[in-house]
Short mmCIF file of all heavy atoms in Angstrom, two decimals:
data_model
loop_
_atom_site.label_atom_id
_atom_site.label_comp_id
_atom_site.label_asym_id
_atom_site.label_seq_id
_atom_site.Cartn_x
_atom_site.Cartn_y
_atom_site.Cartn_z
N MET A 40 20.03 -34.00 125.76
CA MET A 40 20.51 -33.37 124.53
C MET A 40 19.97 -34.15 123.33
O MET A 40 20.14 -35.35 123.23
CB MET A 40 22.04 -33.35 124.53
CG MET A 40 22.64 -32.75 123.30
SD MET A 40 24.43 -32.79 123.46
CE MET A 40 24.85 -31.69 122.20
N SER A 41 19.35 -33.44 122.43
CA SER A 41 18.78 -34.05 121.24
C SER A 41 19.71 -33.83 120.06
O SER A 41 20.26 -32.75 119.87
CB SER A 41 17.42 -33.42 120.95
OG SER A 41 16.91 -33.93 119.75
N SER A 42 19.90 -34.85 119.26
CA SER A 42 20.74 -34.68 118.07
C SER A 42 20.10 -35.44 116.91
O SER A 42 19.36 -36.39 117.09
CB SER A 42 22.16 -35.19 118.32
OG SER A 42 22.15 -36.58 118.53
N PHE A 43 20.41 -34.99 115.73
CA PHE A 43 19.92 -35.64 114.53
C PHE A 43 20.92 -35.42 113.41
O PHE A 43 21.74 -34.52 113.48
CB PHE A 43 18.53 -35.14 114.14
CG PHE A 43 18.46 -33.65 113.93
CD1 PHE A 43 18.62 -33.11 112.67
CD2 PHE A 43 18.24 -32.79 115.00
CE1 PHE A 43 18.57 -31.74 112.48
CE2 PHE A 43 18.18 -31.42 114.82
CZ PHE A 43 18.34 -30.89 113.56
N VAL A 44 20.85 -36.25 112.41
CA VAL A 44 21.77 -36.16 111.29
C VAL A 44 20.98 -35.75 110.06
O VAL A 44 19.92 -36.29 109.77
CB VAL A 44 22.45 -37.53 111.05
CG1 VAL A 44 23.34 -37.47 109.83
CG2 VAL A 44 23.23 -37.97 112.28
N LEU A 45 21.51 -34.76 109.37
CA LEU A 45 20.89 -34.32 108.12
C LEU A 45 21.73 -34.84 106.96
O LEU A 45 22.95 -34.74 106.97
CB LEU A 45 20.82 -32.80 108.08
CG LEU A 45 19.98 -32.15 109.18
CD1 LEU A 45 20.10 -30.64 109.10
CD2 LEU A 45 18.54 -32.56 109.07
N ASP A 46 21.07 -35.37 105.95
CA ASP A 46 21.76 -35.89 104.78
C ASP A 46 21.85 -34.79 103.73
O ASP A 46 20.98 -34.64 102.88
CB ASP A 46 21.02 -37.11 104.23
CG ASP A 46 21.78 -37.81 103.11
OD1 ASP A 46 22.76 -37.24 102.59
OD2 ASP A 46 21.38 -38.93 102.76
N TRP A 47 22.91 -33.99 103.83
CA TRP A 47 23.06 -32.82 102.97
C TRP A 47 23.11 -33.21 101.49
O TRP A 47 22.57 -32.51 100.65
CB TRP A 47 24.32 -32.04 103.36
CG TRP A 47 24.26 -31.59 104.78
CD1 TRP A 47 24.99 -32.08 105.82
CD2 TRP A 47 23.40 -30.59 105.34
NE1 TRP A 47 24.64 -31.44 106.98
CE2 TRP A 47 23.66 -30.53 106.72
CE3 TRP A 47 22.43 -29.76 104.80
CZ2 TRP A 47 23.00 -29.65 107.57
CZ3 TRP A 47 21.77 -28.90 105.66
CH2 TRP A 47 22.05 -28.84 107.01
N ARG A 48 23.75 -34.32 101.17
CA ARG A 48 23.83 -34.76 99.77
C ARG A 48 22.43 -35.02 99.22
O ARG A 48 22.11 -34.62 98.11
CB ARG A 48 24.69 -36.01 99.64
CG ARG A 48 24.84 -36.47 98.19
CD ARG A 48 25.71 -37.67 98.07
NE ARG A 48 27.05 -37.30 98.51
CZ ARG A 48 28.03 -38.16 98.73
NH1 ARG A 48 27.81 -39.44 98.55
NH2 ARG A 48 29.20 -37.76 99.11
N GLU A 49 21.60 -35.67 100.04
CA GLU A 49 20.22 -35.95 99.62
C GLU A 49 19.47 -34.65 99.37
O GLU A 49 18.71 -34.54 98.41
CB GLU A 49 19.51 -36.77 100.69
CG GLU A 49 18.07 -37.11 100.34
CD GLU A 49 17.36 -37.87 101.45
OE1 GLU A 49 18.03 -38.55 102.24
OE2 GLU A 49 16.13 -37.76 101.51
N PHE A 50 19.66 -33.65 100.24
CA PHE A 50 19.00 -32.36 100.07
C PHE A 50 19.39 -31.72 98.74
O PHE A 50 18.56 -31.16 98.03
CB PHE A 50 19.32 -31.41 101.20
CG PHE A 50 18.76 -31.82 102.54
CD1 PHE A 50 19.15 -31.17 103.68
CD2 PHE A 50 17.83 -32.85 102.68
CE1 PHE A 50 18.65 -31.51 104.92
CE2 PHE A 50 17.32 -33.21 103.92
CZ PHE A 50 17.73 -32.54 105.04
N HIS A 51 20.68 -31.78 98.41
CA HIS A 51 21.15 -31.18 97.16
C HIS A 51 20.56 -31.91 95.95
O HIS A 51 20.18 -31.27 94.97
CB HIS A 51 22.68 -31.18 97.11
CG HIS A 51 23.28 -30.10 97.95
ND1 HIS A 51 23.72 -28.91 97.43
CD2 HIS A 51 23.47 -30.02 99.29
CE1 HIS A 51 24.18 -28.15 98.41
NE2 HIS A 51 24.04 -28.80 99.55
N GLU A 52 20.46 -33.22 96.04
CA GLU A 52 19.86 -33.99 94.94
C GLU A 52 18.38 -33.65 94.80
O GLU A 52 17.87 -33.50 93.68
CB GLU A 52 20.06 -35.48 95.17
CG GLU A 52 21.51 -35.91 94.98
CD GLU A 52 21.77 -37.35 95.38
OE1 GLU A 52 20.83 -38.06 95.83
OE2 GLU A 52 22.94 -37.76 95.28
N LYS A 53 17.68 -33.52 95.94
CA LYS A 53 16.26 -33.15 95.89
C LYS A 53 16.09 -31.76 95.28
O LYS A 53 15.19 -31.53 94.47
CB LYS A 53 15.63 -33.18 97.28
CG LYS A 53 15.33 -34.55 97.80
CD LYS A 53 14.65 -34.48 99.15
CE LYS A 53 14.33 -35.86 99.69
NZ LYS A 53 13.66 -35.78 101.00
N ALA A 54 16.94 -30.83 95.67
CA ALA A 54 16.85 -29.47 95.14
C ALA A 54 17.07 -29.44 93.64
O ALA A 54 16.42 -28.67 92.93
CB ALA A 54 17.86 -28.56 95.84
N ASP A 55 17.98 -30.28 93.15
CA ASP A 55 18.24 -30.33 91.71
C ASP A 55 17.03 -30.84 90.93
O ASP A 55 16.93 -30.60 89.72
CB ASP A 55 19.45 -31.23 91.42
CG ASP A 55 20.76 -30.60 91.86
OD1 ASP A 55 20.80 -29.37 92.10
OD2 ASP A 55 21.75 -31.34 91.97
N ASN A 56 16.14 -31.54 91.62
CA ASN A 56 14.96 -32.12 90.96
C ASN A 56 13.66 -31.48 91.42
O ASN A 56 12.59 -32.06 91.23
CB ASN A 56 14.92 -33.63 91.22
CG ASN A 56 16.09 -34.33 90.59
OD1 ASN A 56 16.26 -34.29 89.38
ND2 ASN A 56 16.92 -34.96 91.40
N THR A 57 13.74 -30.30 92.01
CA THR A 57 12.55 -29.62 92.54
C THR A 57 12.37 -28.28 91.85
O THR A 57 13.32 -27.51 91.73
CB THR A 57 12.68 -29.41 94.06
OG1 THR A 57 12.84 -30.68 94.69
CG2 THR A 57 11.46 -28.73 94.64
N GLU A 58 11.17 -28.03 91.40
CA GLU A 58 10.85 -26.74 90.79
C GLU A 58 10.51 -25.74 91.90
O GLU A 58 10.06 -26.13 92.98
CB GLU A 58 9.65 -26.88 89.84
CG GLU A 58 9.89 -27.83 88.68
CD GLU A 58 10.87 -27.28 87.67
OE1 GLU A 58 10.93 -26.06 87.49
OE2 GLU A 58 11.59 -28.11 87.05
N LEU A 59 10.70 -24.47 91.63
CA LEU A 59 10.46 -23.42 92.61
C LEU A 59 9.04 -23.46 93.20
O LEU A 59 8.90 -23.41 94.42
CB LEU A 59 10.78 -22.05 92.03
CG LEU A 59 10.59 -20.86 92.97
CD1 LEU A 59 11.43 -21.01 94.24
CD2 LEU A 59 10.92 -19.56 92.25
N PRO A 60 7.99 -23.58 92.39
CA PRO A 60 6.64 -23.60 92.99
C PRO A 60 6.46 -24.75 93.99
O PRO A 60 5.82 -24.57 95.03
CB PRO A 60 5.71 -23.77 91.79
CG PRO A 60 6.48 -23.24 90.63
CD PRO A 60 7.92 -23.59 90.92
N GLU A 61 7.03 -25.90 93.70
CA GLU A 61 6.92 -27.04 94.61
C GLU A 61 7.67 -26.76 95.91
O GLU A 61 7.17 -27.04 97.01
CB GLU A 61 7.48 -28.29 93.95
CG GLU A 61 7.43 -29.51 94.83
CD GLU A 61 8.08 -30.73 94.20
OE1 GLU A 61 8.46 -30.70 93.02
OE2 GLU A 61 8.21 -31.73 94.93
N ALA A 62 8.87 -26.18 95.81
CA ALA A 62 9.65 -25.85 97.01
C ALA A 62 8.92 -24.82 97.86
O ALA A 62 8.89 -24.94 99.09
CB ALA A 62 11.04 -25.35 96.60
N LEU A 63 8.34 -23.82 97.23
CA LEU A 63 7.59 -22.80 97.96
C LEU A 63 6.37 -23.40 98.66
O LEU A 63 6.05 -23.05 99.80
CB LEU A 63 7.16 -21.67 97.02
CG LEU A 63 8.28 -20.76 96.52
CD1 LEU A 63 7.79 -19.90 95.37
CD2 LEU A 63 8.83 -19.91 97.66
N LYS A 64 5.70 -24.31 97.98
CA LYS A 64 4.52 -24.96 98.56
C LYS A 64 4.90 -25.78 99.80
O LYS A 64 4.21 -25.72 100.82
CB LYS A 64 3.86 -25.87 97.52
CG LYS A 64 2.61 -26.55 97.99
CD LYS A 64 1.99 -27.38 96.89
CE LYS A 64 0.75 -28.12 97.40
NZ LYS A 64 0.15 -28.95 96.37
N LYS A 65 6.01 -26.49 99.72
CA LYS A 65 6.45 -27.30 100.86
C LYS A 65 6.80 -26.43 102.05
O LYS A 65 6.47 -26.76 103.19
CB LYS A 65 7.63 -28.18 100.47
CG LYS A 65 7.24 -29.34 99.60
CD LYS A 65 8.41 -30.23 99.28
CE LYS A 65 7.96 -31.41 98.44
NZ LYS A 65 9.07 -32.32 98.15
N VAL A 66 7.48 -25.31 101.80
CA VAL A 66 7.81 -24.40 102.90
C VAL A 66 6.52 -23.79 103.46
O VAL A 66 6.40 -23.61 104.68
CB VAL A 66 8.80 -23.30 102.44
CG1 VAL A 66 8.91 -22.20 103.48
CG2 VAL A 66 10.16 -23.91 102.18
N GLY A 67 5.57 -23.49 102.61
CA GLY A 67 4.30 -22.94 103.08
C GLY A 67 3.54 -23.89 103.98
O GLY A 67 2.89 -23.47 104.94
N SER A 68 3.66 -25.18 103.71
CA SER A 68 2.94 -26.16 104.51
C SER A 68 3.65 -26.50 105.81
O SER A 68 3.02 -26.87 106.80
CB SER A 68 2.69 -27.44 103.71
OG SER A 68 3.90 -28.12 103.47
N LYS A 69 4.98 -26.40 105.82
CA LYS A 69 5.79 -26.68 107.02
C LYS A 69 6.93 -25.67 107.09
O LYS A 69 8.08 -25.99 106.79
CB LYS A 69 6.34 -28.10 106.99
CG LYS A 69 5.31 -29.18 107.12
CD LYS A 69 5.96 -30.54 107.20
CE LYS A 69 4.93 -31.64 107.38
NZ LYS A 69 5.56 -32.96 107.43
N PRO A 70 6.64 -24.44 107.47
CA PRO A 70 7.64 -23.37 107.43
C PRO A 70 8.83 -23.54 108.38
O PRO A 70 9.87 -22.93 108.16
CB PRO A 70 6.86 -22.10 107.77
CG PRO A 70 5.62 -22.57 108.42
CD PRO A 70 5.35 -23.96 107.92
N ASP A 71 8.71 -24.36 109.39
CA ASP A 71 9.81 -24.55 110.34
C ASP A 71 10.60 -25.83 110.08
O ASP A 71 11.51 -26.15 110.85
CB ASP A 71 9.28 -24.56 111.78
CG ASP A 71 8.70 -23.22 112.17
OD1 ASP A 71 9.19 -22.19 111.68
OD2 ASP A 71 7.74 -23.21 112.96
N TYR A 72 10.29 -26.52 109.03
CA TYR A 72 10.95 -27.79 108.72
C TYR A 72 12.25 -27.49 107.97
O TYR A 72 12.24 -26.98 106.85
CB TYR A 72 10.00 -28.66 107.89
CG TYR A 72 10.40 -30.09 107.74
CD1 TYR A 72 10.76 -30.87 108.83
CD2 TYR A 72 10.41 -30.69 106.49
CE1 TYR A 72 11.12 -32.20 108.69
CE2 TYR A 72 10.76 -32.03 106.33
CZ TYR A 72 11.12 -32.77 107.43
OH TYR A 72 11.47 -34.08 107.28
N ILE A 73 13.38 -27.80 108.61
CA ILE A 73 14.69 -27.41 108.09
C ILE A 73 14.95 -27.95 106.69
O ILE A 73 15.55 -27.27 105.86
CB ILE A 73 15.82 -27.84 109.07
CG1 ILE A 73 17.16 -27.26 108.65
CG2 ILE A 73 15.93 -29.33 109.18
CD1 ILE A 73 17.34 -25.83 109.01
N GLU A 74 14.51 -29.16 106.40
CA GLU A 74 14.74 -29.74 105.08
C GLU A 74 14.08 -28.89 104.00
O GLU A 74 14.70 -28.59 102.98
CB GLU A 74 14.22 -31.17 105.01
CG GLU A 74 14.39 -31.79 103.63
CD GLU A 74 13.88 -33.22 103.53
OE1 GLU A 74 13.59 -33.84 104.58
OE2 GLU A 74 13.76 -33.70 102.40
N ASN A 75 12.83 -28.50 104.22
CA ASN A 75 12.12 -27.70 103.22
C ASN A 75 12.79 -26.35 103.00
O ASN A 75 12.91 -25.88 101.87
CB ASN A 75 10.67 -27.50 103.63
CG ASN A 75 9.87 -28.78 103.59
OD1 ASN A 75 10.28 -29.77 103.00
ND2 ASN A 75 8.72 -28.78 104.24
N LEU A 76 13.22 -25.72 104.08
CA LEU A 76 13.87 -24.42 103.97
C LEU A 76 15.20 -24.54 103.23
O LEU A 76 15.51 -23.72 102.35
CB LEU A 76 14.10 -23.82 105.36
CG LEU A 76 12.85 -23.34 106.07
CD1 LEU A 76 13.16 -23.05 107.53
CD2 LEU A 76 12.29 -22.11 105.39
N TYR A 77 15.98 -25.54 103.57
CA TYR A 77 17.28 -25.72 102.93
C TYR A 77 17.11 -26.00 101.44
O TYR A 77 17.81 -25.42 100.61
CB TYR A 77 18.06 -26.85 103.61
CG TYR A 77 19.49 -26.94 103.16
CD1 TYR A 77 20.42 -26.01 103.60
CD2 TYR A 77 19.92 -27.93 102.31
CE1 TYR A 77 21.74 -26.07 103.19
CE2 TYR A 77 21.23 -28.01 101.90
CZ TYR A 77 22.14 -27.08 102.34
OH TYR A 77 23.45 -27.15 101.93
N ILE A 78 16.17 -26.85 101.09
CA ILE A 78 15.93 -27.17 99.69
C ILE A 78 15.46 -25.93 98.94
O ILE A 78 15.91 -25.67 97.82
CB ILE A 78 14.95 -28.34 99.54
CG1 ILE A 78 15.64 -29.64 100.01
CG2 ILE A 78 14.44 -28.48 98.11
CD1 ILE A 78 14.74 -30.84 100.10
N LEU A 79 14.59 -25.13 99.55
CA LEU A 79 14.16 -23.88 98.90
C LEU A 79 15.36 -22.97 98.65
O LEU A 79 15.50 -22.41 97.56
CB LEU A 79 13.12 -23.15 99.76
CG LEU A 79 12.68 -21.78 99.24
CD1 LEU A 79 12.05 -21.88 97.85
CD2 LEU A 79 11.73 -21.13 100.24
N GLY A 80 16.23 -22.83 99.63
CA GLY A 80 17.42 -22.02 99.43
C GLY A 80 18.28 -22.53 98.29
O GLY A 80 18.78 -21.76 97.47
N LEU A 81 18.44 -23.83 98.19
CA LEU A 81 19.23 -24.42 97.11
C LEU A 81 18.56 -24.22 95.75
O LEU A 81 19.23 -23.97 94.75
CB LEU A 81 19.45 -25.91 97.36
CG LEU A 81 20.35 -26.26 98.54
CD1 LEU A 81 20.36 -27.78 98.75
CD2 LEU A 81 21.77 -25.74 98.33
N VAL A 82 17.23 -24.35 95.72
CA VAL A 82 16.50 -24.12 94.47
C VAL A 82 16.74 -22.68 94.00
O VAL A 82 17.01 -22.43 92.82
CB VAL A 82 15.00 -24.43 94.63
CG1 VAL A 82 14.20 -23.95 93.42
CG2 VAL A 82 14.79 -25.93 94.83
N TYR A 83 16.65 -21.73 94.94
CA TYR A 83 16.93 -20.34 94.58
C TYR A 83 18.35 -20.20 94.05
O TYR A 83 18.58 -19.50 93.05
CB TYR A 83 16.74 -19.42 95.79
CG TYR A 83 15.32 -18.97 96.03
CD1 TYR A 83 14.78 -19.00 97.31
CD2 TYR A 83 14.52 -18.47 95.01
CE1 TYR A 83 13.48 -18.57 97.56
CE2 TYR A 83 13.23 -18.04 95.24
CZ TYR A 83 12.72 -18.09 96.52
OH TYR A 83 11.43 -17.66 96.74
N LEU A 84 19.32 -20.85 94.68
CA LEU A 84 20.70 -20.77 94.19
C LEU A 84 20.81 -21.36 92.78
O LEU A 84 21.51 -20.80 91.93
CB LEU A 84 21.65 -21.50 95.13
CG LEU A 84 22.00 -20.79 96.43
CD1 LEU A 84 22.90 -21.67 97.29
CD2 LEU A 84 22.66 -19.45 96.16
N ASN A 85 20.13 -22.48 92.55
CA ASN A 85 20.16 -23.09 91.21
C ASN A 85 19.60 -22.16 90.15
O ASN A 85 19.99 -22.22 88.98
CB ASN A 85 19.37 -24.41 91.21
CG ASN A 85 20.08 -25.52 91.95
OD1 ASN A 85 21.29 -25.46 92.20
ND2 ASN A 85 19.34 -26.55 92.32
N LEU A 86 18.67 -21.29 90.56
CA LEU A 86 18.06 -20.33 89.64
C LEU A 86 18.80 -18.99 89.61
O LEU A 86 18.36 -18.04 88.98
CB LEU A 86 16.60 -20.09 90.04
CG LEU A 86 15.68 -21.31 89.94
CD1 LEU A 86 14.33 -21.01 90.58
CD2 LEU A 86 15.51 -21.72 88.48
N HIS A 87 19.95 -18.94 90.31
CA HIS A 87 20.77 -17.73 90.41
C HIS A 87 20.01 -16.57 91.05
O HIS A 87 20.21 -15.42 90.70
CB HIS A 87 21.32 -17.32 89.03
CG HIS A 87 22.09 -18.43 88.38
ND1 HIS A 87 23.37 -18.76 88.78
CD2 HIS A 87 21.75 -19.30 87.41
CE1 HIS A 87 23.79 -19.79 88.05
NE2 HIS A 87 22.83 -20.14 87.21
N LYS A 88 19.14 -16.91 91.99
CA LYS A 88 18.40 -15.90 92.76
C LYS A 88 19.07 -15.84 94.14
O LYS A 88 18.55 -16.31 95.14
CB LYS A 88 16.92 -16.28 92.86
CG LYS A 88 16.23 -16.26 91.51
CD LYS A 88 14.75 -16.54 91.63
CE LYS A 88 14.11 -16.40 90.26
NZ LYS A 88 12.69 -16.13 90.36
N ASP A 89 20.26 -15.23 94.14
CA ASP A 89 21.11 -15.25 95.32
C ASP A 89 20.52 -14.50 96.51
O ASP A 89 20.66 -14.94 97.65
CB ASP A 89 22.49 -14.70 94.98
CG ASP A 89 23.19 -15.54 93.92
OD1 ASP A 89 22.85 -16.72 93.74
OD2 ASP A 89 24.11 -15.00 93.25
N LYS A 90 19.86 -13.39 96.26
CA LYS A 90 19.28 -12.62 97.37
C LYS A 90 18.18 -13.41 98.06
O LYS A 90 18.07 -13.41 99.29
CB LYS A 90 18.76 -11.27 96.89
CG LYS A 90 19.87 -10.31 96.54
CD LYS A 90 19.32 -8.97 96.11
CE LYS A 90 20.47 -8.05 95.72
NZ LYS A 90 20.02 -6.73 95.33
N GLN A 91 17.33 -14.07 97.29
CA GLN A 91 16.27 -14.88 97.87
C GLN A 91 16.86 -16.06 98.66
O GLN A 91 16.39 -16.39 99.74
CB GLN A 91 15.30 -15.38 96.79
CG GLN A 91 14.47 -14.31 96.17
CD GLN A 91 15.10 -13.74 94.91
OE1 GLN A 91 16.30 -13.69 94.75
NE2 GLN A 91 14.25 -13.26 94.00
N ALA A 92 17.90 -16.69 98.10
CA ALA A 92 18.55 -17.81 98.79
C ALA A 92 19.14 -17.34 100.10
O ALA A 92 18.98 -17.99 101.14
CB ALA A 92 19.63 -18.42 97.90
N GLN A 93 19.80 -16.19 100.08
CA GLN A 93 20.42 -15.66 101.29
C GLN A 93 19.34 -15.41 102.35
O GLN A 93 19.54 -15.71 103.53
CB GLN A 93 21.16 -14.36 100.98
CG GLN A 93 21.86 -13.77 102.18
CD GLN A 93 22.59 -12.49 101.83
OE1 GLN A 93 22.31 -11.84 100.83
NE2 GLN A 93 23.55 -12.14 102.65
N SER A 94 18.21 -14.90 101.94
CA SER A 94 17.12 -14.63 102.88
C SER A 94 16.62 -15.93 103.52
O SER A 94 16.36 -15.97 104.71
CB SER A 94 15.99 -13.94 102.15
OG SER A 94 14.90 -13.75 102.99
N VAL A 95 16.50 -16.97 102.73
CA VAL A 95 16.03 -18.26 103.25
C VAL A 95 17.07 -18.84 104.23
O VAL A 95 16.71 -19.33 105.30
CB VAL A 95 15.78 -19.27 102.10
CG1 VAL A 95 15.54 -20.67 102.64
CG2 VAL A 95 14.61 -18.82 101.25
N PHE A 96 18.33 -18.75 103.87
CA PHE A 96 19.37 -19.34 104.72
C PHE A 96 19.54 -18.59 106.03
O PHE A 96 19.99 -19.16 107.01
CB PHE A 96 20.69 -19.44 103.98
CG PHE A 96 20.68 -20.47 102.86
CD1 PHE A 96 21.20 -20.18 101.62
CD2 PHE A 96 20.17 -21.74 103.07
CE1 PHE A 96 21.21 -21.12 100.60
CE2 PHE A 96 20.16 -22.69 102.07
CZ PHE A 96 20.68 -22.38 100.82
N LYS A 97 19.19 -17.31 106.05
CA LYS A 97 19.28 -16.55 107.30
C LYS A 97 18.22 -17.04 108.25
O LYS A 97 18.30 -17.09 109.39
CB LYS A 97 19.09 -15.05 107.07
CG LYS A 97 20.33 -14.40 106.54
CD LYS A 97 20.11 -12.92 106.44
CE LYS A 97 21.37 -12.24 105.94
NZ LYS A 97 21.20 -10.82 105.83
#
């Protein structure tokens, strides 16, 4: 069984300091990397783009 710990607080801080183009670029380079996806979703939420955030979180 594999387990890992995600630092959710760190992700929220990164999202607060990340612009949308940068978040999109990171997801484009590593689309299966959970950190990049979560940060992109948070960036969308920060921009009040709820539908896009919901799509990312799904």
Side-chain angles (χ1 to χ4, degrees):
M40 179 180 195
S41 175
S42 65
F43 57 94
V44 177
L45 298 175
D46 187 348
W47 302 108
R48 182 179 296 170
E49 180 183 334
F50 293 170
H51 283 260
E52 289 172 359
K53 283 183 180 180
D55 289 343
N56 295 300
T57 301
E58 299 290 329
L59 181 57
E61 179 184 352
L63 289 167
K64 182 178 178 181
K65 286 183 178 182
V66 168
S68 69
K69 293 185 178 179
D71 295 328
Y72 192 50
I73 188 79
E74 178 180 348
N75 292 345
L76 289 167
Y77 190 75
I78 290 172
L79 175 60
L81 293 174
V82 169
Y83 276 134
L84 284 177
N85 288 343
L86 296 170
H87 305 284
K88 295 184 176 203
D89 299 338
K90 288 182 182 181
Q91 291 93 329
Q93 182 180 20
S94 176
V95 170
F96 290 135
K97 281 185 178 179

